[in-house]
Amino acid sequence: MKICFNIHFHTLWGQAVYITGSIPELGGWDTAAARKMDYTGDGGWTLVLELPDKPLEVEYRYLLKSNGELIFEEWNRNHRLSLTHSRQSCYVQDYWQNPPQNPTAYSTAFTHSWFARPCSPVERIVRSKRKIVLKVFAPAVRQDERLALLGNREELGGWDPARALPMECEQFPEWWVELDADRIGGSIEYKFCVTGSGDSSVVRWEKGENRNFYLPPLGENETAIVSGLFFRDDERQWKCAGLSIPVFALRTQQSFGIGDFGDLHPLIDWAKATNQRLIQLLPVNDTTLTHSRTDSYPYNAISIYALHPLYLNLEAMGTLKDPQRAAFYQTKQKELNRLDVVDYEAVDRLKWAFFRELFRQEGSEVLASQEFVFFFEENKEWLVPYAAYSCLRDKYRTPDFRLWGEYAVYNRAVIEALSRSAEYDATALYYYLQFHADRQLAGAKRYACYHGIVLKGDIPIGISRESVEAWTEPDYFNREFQVGAPPDDFSLTGQNWGFPAYNWAAIEAHHYRWWKKRFRKMAAYFDAYRIDHILGFFRIWQIPNDSVEGLLGYFSPALPLSVEEIKNGGLSFRGAPFTRAHIHGKYLAELFGEYTDEVIQCYLERMDADRFALQKPFDTQRKIAARFAGEDNDKSRRIRSGLFALCNEVLFIEDHRQPGTYHPRISASASYRYRELDKQDQYAFDGLYWDYFYQRHNTFWKDEALKRLSPLIASTGMLACGEDLGMIPHSVPEVMQKLQILRLEIERASKSPNREFTDLQQVPYLSVCTTSTHDMPTLRGWWKEDPDRRQRYFNEQLKREGAAPEDCSPETGEEILRRHLASPAMLTVIPFQDWLAMDAALRHPDVDAERINVPANPRHYWRYRMHLCLEDLLKAETLNGRIRQLIAAAGRGF
């Protein structure tokens, strides 16, 4: 079998076009082993492959290299060849695939759910031994429409719309039609159009000039294939609505005190009943470190692959044969399900007891099944170390792998031997649980797709310091630092998430393989995803390990200031006084009050007595704070708070990689040390500060983000969304627009320094518009939080006169939801609690109980549960009908 690939692409000196693909002859997707094409002149490139005479399925794409180094690839839609006849030969004329006009419409959110379509076969047979196949991508074709072809030859319908040739779409959104080459010959002129599926009348033509194709002479059993085309359509700004809720918050009559993957099915039913088309979840990865309430934090995953066992639906796993044990768990299920909130530790204890009993009963049978064997082979690269980690964590009673003796340093051979030893049953339990979790969540995704609903996942920016990956792939992490966020509206002292910083140089050296695998695993369960803290791909806020809060962090990567730059900025820089805590006694009195003398005695050994220039602020803070750690009284709290403030009394922080260069300390103008400066130095410092945080890094951070995000976004077909809140670099909107990543827009979190509230009618189409996030009070909670701001919103945004009511009434809640639904954003995603805000009978009686997270509290207990069962919600026709009406009125219905 012979395949002749052809493409037209003009190159510069030293450049060449290559092909990489799914078969060994095309390098097996290894770009280093891609096949170089031959240049034929005038921009033409060709490659001839001789393959065994057997049916063949192959995917491939084109690359451009310069002197052997990869420059860029085609857009991430692969070309496909399906050769069913063993003696068939092909002449392939491809077009280089640049991103189309509306690339989001090609995401799996559209092609698997929103635009998904059954495509009945066309009753048309071409018997010629010489054929032409024309292929074109066209996702925006309704289910009651079909793509068709018309052209200047009789075989092409002779431009008669009544004779348009219907096209096939088994690999939607790619359409194709097969033609008789003997009846065409030479060159053809043609165009694609959309027809009605009933009467076949032309609904619309594609835009632009007619297309042309010159047919080369074909031999017997040879097919000419034209691919890489896109239907030229108007850019349609399609929109829909959805909801957000964590899995753990779901409640059905069968829930075991916590939401589970089985509960997603009735949630999907409710979304469909209300004409919502997207369900956004929080992360669902395993977070089990200590089997305690601190594991409730869903962003502190121990694995980037493993799903959380607590989200397993017990009924779907199987039934215990012992009637007494089965009755015991039924009783506990009812007890836990009556609770208003998640009792994480009780759920964890009982579910794990059930897992072990069921595994003893039927684990060996499940692990011997063909379905499990296939799952294991597909996932063993991560599954084996995850299971070993979990066993060792429990054996040593700590997740800190540095304390695991001979297993402290990961060795795959040793771990694989461990999994085959007497420890097999212990590790096999985790194989068994992940098999069930995969089957349940993948089943929920299939159910959602069947009903035209998209499940949207969440990819955390970080991972636990004591995670499987930190153990198995330590080179990808910089454990000297932890990451978080600078001070913002969520936390005035910044956020410290505790995740280790990434070693981006090592990740880049391996072509972002670690991140790509993470994204691809996510694509097994979701068709859209939210990149948590997408700003971290531009730069991350890294904090020294011995710091508790986020004030003493700085951005990485960054361009720190040299001493010369600081002096040239007009500041009379004097070294240590600017980079060490340098406090007068009167400020110590402000911090510590009546306890000042006691604290000074603790400091004397570590300070320059004349000016109190603190040499090692973190070390001192930790040791002195330890003296009061066991106390929980006003004195202890006052001293610990003062110590944290004292360590923040610096204006610059020295860069750990480039000694002698400095980062301005975030929010330094609020410090006592800043107030000590004279007006001229304050003015100079303010200028350096503004330039550093808002100007200096614009191009640098833009380049970093494009370098990192581009290959990750291209690694899957999911619809990409980004959480771009906080201190936003100037280049963020440009990068997200270029990569077609949807932004996050919240009315009460304006991104404009000139507006208190976001103008919802000016948000970009490529965005997600929402009333609140899991890190904020709900709509009703926010209404109570700040009376002055509520009043301004009431008068200025809602255009109401008089005093704003103290409570957010159902009518006010509905009006706010209507405003968000009317925005130009592609997606309006409303938190579940805020949908209920417009129904006085159904909304939660306790506003404060609706809140999911408080970012200022790093040890917050994530335990919110919806107070209604989904079975009851499905019967709430008054609310459901109102949601349908609002969505339809906003043009977001189907």
Side-chain angles (χ1 to χ4, degrees):
M1 179 190 301
K2 182 174 77 172
I3 304 177
C4 180
F5 296 96
N6 297 273
I7 193 167
H8 195 80
F9 193 94
H10 284 286
T11 57
L12 301 176
W13 180 258
Q15 295 179 346
V17 177
Y18 289 70
I19 307 182
T20 185
S22 59
I23 58 176
E25 291 83 357
L26 292 177
W29 293 123
D30 181 359
T31 57
R35 292 291 299 274
K36 184 178 180 179
M37 303 184 75
D38 297 319
Y39 184 61
T40 60
D42 196 27
W45 295 86
T46 189
L47 175 70
V48 177
L49 286 185
E50 294 285 352
L51 300 172
D53 286 335
K54 61 181 181 181
L56 177 70
E57 295 279 345
V58 60
E59 294 189 24
Y60 62 97
R61 68 172 61 178
Y62 293 93
L63 320 170
L64 182 67
K65 293 187 178 184
S66 178
N67 297 316
E69 292 294 322
L70 179 64
I71 300 177
F72 60 84
E73 307 178 32
E74 284 187 290
W75 184 58
N76 60 347
R77 279 283 173 179
N78 297 330
H79 301 267
R80 289 191 182 95
L81 280 181
S82 181
L83 307 178
T84 57
H85 302 294
S86 61
R87 301 188 66 81
Q88 184 178 0
S89 293
C90 289
Y91 175 91
V92 181
Q93 179 62 61
D94 283 321
Y95 290 83
W96 185 280
Q97 294 182 158
N98 289 312
Q101 186 177 9
N102 56 336
T104 53
Y106 293 79
S107 69
T108 56
F110 285 86
T111 61
H112 288 179
S113 293
W114 296 329
F115 289 177
R117 52 179 298 125
C119 196
S120 55
V122 176
E123 296 182 4
R124 185 172 179 276
I125 301 176
V126 177
R127 303 188 183 281
S128 172
K129 293 185 178 181
R130 283 177 284 271
K131 301 176 183 179
I132 304 173
V133 176
L134 293 176
K135 297 182 177 183
V136 62
F137 286 109
V141 180
R142 293 178 3 185
Q143 291 193 7
D144 59 349
E145 298 173 339
R146 183 186 287 274
L147 205 67
L149 173 74
L150 274 171
N152 64 343
R153 300 298 181 92
E154 188 68 17
E155 176 74 2
L156 304 179
W159 294 120
D160 180 0
R163 296 166 56 205
L165 302 181
M167 302 181 73
E168 306 265 16
C169 65
E170 291 94 340
Q171 298 287 344
F172 183 76
E174 188 175 51
W175 301 73
W176 64 274
V177 64
E178 193 172 66
L179 307 170
D180 187 340
D182 290 335
R183 298 182 59 187
I184 295 178
S187 62
I188 60 173
E189 191 174 351
Y190 65 98
K191 209 166 192 178
F192 300 107
C193 60
V194 176
T195 65
S197 59
D199 57 9
S200 299
S201 59
V202 173
V203 176
R204 67 183 185 276
W205 291 87
E206 70 170 333
K207 302 297 180 182
E209 301 294 327
N210 294 342
R211 300 177 186 265
N212 294 278
F213 172 63
Y214 174 75
L215 179 65
L218 299 178
E220 189 171 322
N221 292 323
E222 187 170 10
T223 300
I225 300 175
V226 180
S227 78
L229 304 176
F230 293 92
F231 185 74
R232 303 184 300 241
D233 205 355
D234 288 328
E235 185 172 354
R236 299 183 173 191
Q237 296 200 334
W238 181 93
K239 302 188 293 184
C240 76
L243 73 142
S244 62
I245 189 167
V247 169
F248 61 76
L250 300 179
R251 183 194 294 266
T252 65
Q253 293 171 2
Q254 288 73 43
S255 300
F256 204 92
I258 192 171
D260 59 50
F261 295 141
D263 293 339
L264 288 172
H265 290 253
L267 181 66
I268 292 164
D269 292 337
W270 182 69
K272 183 179 180 182
T274 52
N275 213 5
Q276 300 183 72
R277 286 296 179 264
L278 181 136
I279 296 172
Q280 177 175 314
L281 306 174
L282 291 188
V284 293
N285 292 104
D286 191 357
T287 59
T288 307
L289 289 165
T290 60
H291 292 282
S292 68
R293 59 185 286 178
T294 57
D295 295 346
S296 67
Y297 180 26
Y299 287 88
N300 195 35
I302 64 165
S303 169
I304 61 175
Y305 307 107
L307 300 173
H308 207 311
L310 292 195
Y311 296 156
L312 279 165
N313 181 281
L314 303 188
E315 187 177 358
M317 292 179 70
T319 303
L320 292 176
K321 295 177 181 178
D322 184 332
Q324 289 185 328
R325 297 305 296 163
F328 168 79
Y329 286 109
Q330 289 172 1
T331 300
K332 292 300 180 182
Q333 181 267 330
K334 290 181 173 59
E335 291 176 3
L336 289 171
N337 221 26
R338 284 195 292 267
L339 299 178
D340 294 332
V341 293
V342 176
D343 185 338
Y344 192 92
E345 292 174 357
V347 169
D348 182 271
R349 182 174 61 256
L350 287 163
K351 276 202 166 186
W352 274 100
F354 178 88
F355 295 155
R356 291 187 171 93
E357 289 187 50
L358 189 65
F359 180 67
R360 285 194 296 269
Q361 173 182 297
E362 58 187 46
S364 58
E365 180 181 348
V366 171
L367 269 57
S369 67
Q370 281 298 114
E371 190 178 0
F372 173 79
V373 170
F374 178 79
F375 166 79
F376 184 82
E377 288 300 317
E378 287 286 304
N379 296 277
K380 62 184 179 182
E381 181 184 358
W382 66 266
L383 186 58
V384 170
Y386 161 76
Y389 166 95
S390 300
C391 291
L392 293 168
R393 172 201 61 208
D394 296 343
K395 176 181 178 179
Y396 287 94
R397 298 185 178 183
T398 176
D400 188 346
F401 46 81
R402 295 172 298 179
L403 305 177
W404 290 354
E406 62 179 309
Y407 303 109
V409 177
Y410 176 75
N411 182 306
R412 186 168 185 96
V414 172
I415 295 306
E416 288 179 345
L418 175 71
S419 69
R420 295 190 295 268
S421 69
E423 303 286 342
Y424 175 74
D425 282 349
T427 56
L429 171 63
Y430 291 94
Y431 302 160
Y432 171 79
L433 295 177
Q434 288 304 309
F435 168 69
H436 276 291
D438 173 82
R439 190 161 60 171
Q440 290 187 17
L441 185 52
K445 178 188 177 182
R446 287 192 300 272
Y447 188 73
C449 287
Y450 177 78
H451 290 291
I453 293 169
V454 166
L455 292 185
K456 178 182 175 186
D458 193 330
I459 298 182
I461 185 63
I463 192 165
S464 172
R465 300 182 68 82
E466 296 165 334
S467 64
V468 180
E469 285 72 31
W471 178 46
T472 60
E473 301 172 286
D475 291 345
Y476 290 152
F477 302 94
N478 178 5
R479 295 179 64 89
E480 296 178 20
F481 286 87
Q482 51 197 333
V483 299
D488 56 21
D489 291 340
F490 295 113
S491 177
L492 296 178
T493 57
Q495 298 178 53
N496 182 354
W497 302 324
F499 309 139
Y502 288 115
N503 179 357
W504 280 105
I507 292 173
E508 182 182 353
H510 291 94
H511 307 290
Y512 304 97
R513 181 182 61 192
W514 188 87
W515 275 101
K516 288 178 181 178
K517 290 191 295 184
R518 188 177 185 183
F519 274 53
R520 288 167 183 155
K521 185 61 175 177
M522 174 74 88
Y525 309 117
F526 302 100
D527 285 317
Y529 62 99
R530 167 189 179 272
I531 303 175
D532 169 54
H533 193 64
I534 196 173
L535 306 184
F537 287 90
F538 291 75
R539 78 292 182 274
I540 197 74
W541 189 250
Q542 66 177 29
I543 307 161
N545 273 344
D546 49 7
S547 184
V548 177
E549 296 177 318
L551 280 173
L552 281 171
Y554 56 84
F555 286 123
S556 176
L559 305 171
L561 299 168
S562 67
V563 173
E564 184 178 359
E565 286 178 299
I566 296 172
K567 291 181 176 179
N568 288 342
L571 187 64
S572 52
F573 187 75
R574 296 187 299 278
F578 288 81
T579 59
R580 298 173 183 161
H582 185 87
I583 311 300
H584 287 302
K586 63 180 180 180
Y587 183 56
L588 292 177
E590 290 181 27
L591 293 176
F592 301 108
E594 61 186 289
Y595 313 114
T596 302
D597 291 341
E598 185 174 351
V599 171
I600 289 177
Q601 288 300 316
C602 295
Y603 268 101
L604 284 178
E605 297 176 359
R606 298 178 172 275
M607 301 178 74
D608 293 340
D610 58 332
R611 292 292 304 277
F612 296 115
L614 187 58
Q615 301 294 324
K616 296 181 179 180
F618 299 122
D619 183 55
T620 304
Q621 168 190 315
R622 185 173 60 251
K623 292 188 176 182
I624 297 179
R627 301 190 187 187
F628 306 96
E631 302 179 30
D632 187 17
N633 49 39
D634 290 341
K635 174 182 177 182
S636 174
R637 285 190 289 272
R638 178 73 178 266
I639 290 177
R640 287 201 300 266
S641 175
L643 290 170
F644 295 146
L646 186 60
C647 283
N648 295 330
E649 287 298 315
V650 297
L651 296 181
F652 292 94
I653 301 171
E654 190 169 17
D655 188 273
H656 76 293
R657 293 189 182 277
Q658 302 177 58
T661 63
Y662 301 91
H663 306 266
R665 203 267 285 174
I666 193 78
S667 302
S669 60
S671 70
Y672 186 87
R673 186 67 189 87
Y674 175 85
R675 298 200 301 269
E676 278 191 319
L677 298 177
D678 60 37
K679 293 297 181 182
Q680 183 176 344
D681 277 351
Q682 284 185 356
Y683 181 82
F685 181 83
D686 291 345
L688 288 166
Y689 185 96
W690 176 263
D691 177 73
Y692 176 87
F693 283 109
Y694 299 103
Q695 299 291 332
R696 181 180 180 88
H697 297 93
N698 285 344
T699 300
F700 177 65
W701 285 339
K702 170 186 169 182
D703 293 342
E704 288 295 311
L706 286 172
K707 180 175 63 176
R708 296 170 179 177
L709 284 170
S710 296
L712 306 187
I713 300 301
S715 66
T716 77
M718 294 185 290
L719 178 67
C721 308
E723 182 262 294
D724 56 332
L725 303 179
M727 195 172 183
I728 306 173
H730 181 75
S731 57
V732 169
E734 179 186 353
V735 170
M736 294 182 73
Q737 173 68 32
K738 182 179 180 65
L739 299 180
Q740 298 285 285
I741 303 171
L742 275 62
R743 303 190 67 193
L744 181 60
E745 300 291 345
I746 305 172
E747 186 175 29
R748 56 175 137 140
S750 174
K751 295 173 181 174
S752 169
N754 302 317
R755 294 188 64 94
E756 182 177 14
F757 301 102
T758 301
D759 184 348
L760 294 178
Q761 289 305 308
Q762 296 301 316
V763 303
Y765 171 64
L766 292 179
S767 67
V768 177
C769 182
T770 187
T771 49
S772 52
T773 75
H774 62 274
D775 283 333
M776 297 176 168
T778 59
L779 183 57
R780 294 166 61 211
W782 171 74
W783 192 267
K784 289 179 56 180
E785 189 177 57
D786 187 337
D788 292 337
R789 197 159 185 240
R790 174 183 69 210
Q791 185 65 51
R792 292 193 296 273
Y793 180 83
F794 186 75
N795 299 142
E796 299 168 11
Q797 301 304 116
L798 299 184
K799 309 299 182 186
R800 304 275 193 90
E801 296 182 354
E806 291 186 10
D807 294 321
C808 182
S809 68
E811 295 75 22
T812 300
E814 181 173 326
E815 183 175 354
I816 295 172
L817 295 181
R818 187 184 298 110
R819 288 167 52 82
H820 285 74
L821 289 165
S823 78
M826 178 194 292
L827 306 179
T828 294
V829 178
I830 304 297
F832 170 79
Q833 305 94 306
D834 290 354
W835 275 124
L836 267 60
M838 62 179 184
D839 192 305
L842 294 179
R843 61 188 189 171
H844 203 298
D846 182 358
V847 175
D848 296 331
E850 292 184 324
R851 183 148 189 185
I852 295 174
N853 180 41
V854 180
N857 178 9
R859 299 183 66 81
H860 179 74
Y861 191 178
W862 298 62
R863 61 188 319 203
Y864 163 74
R865 289 190 79 193
M866 53 196 301
H867 63 293
L868 303 172
C869 282
L870 283 164
E871 293 90 342
D872 296 330
L873 197 60
L874 281 162
K875 300 173 185 176
E877 189 49 41
T878 300
L879 172 67
N880 298 343
R882 195 71 196 115
I883 293 175
R884 286 195 299 270
Q885 292 171 4
L886 287 174
I887 290 173
R892 294 181 180 274
F894 276 56

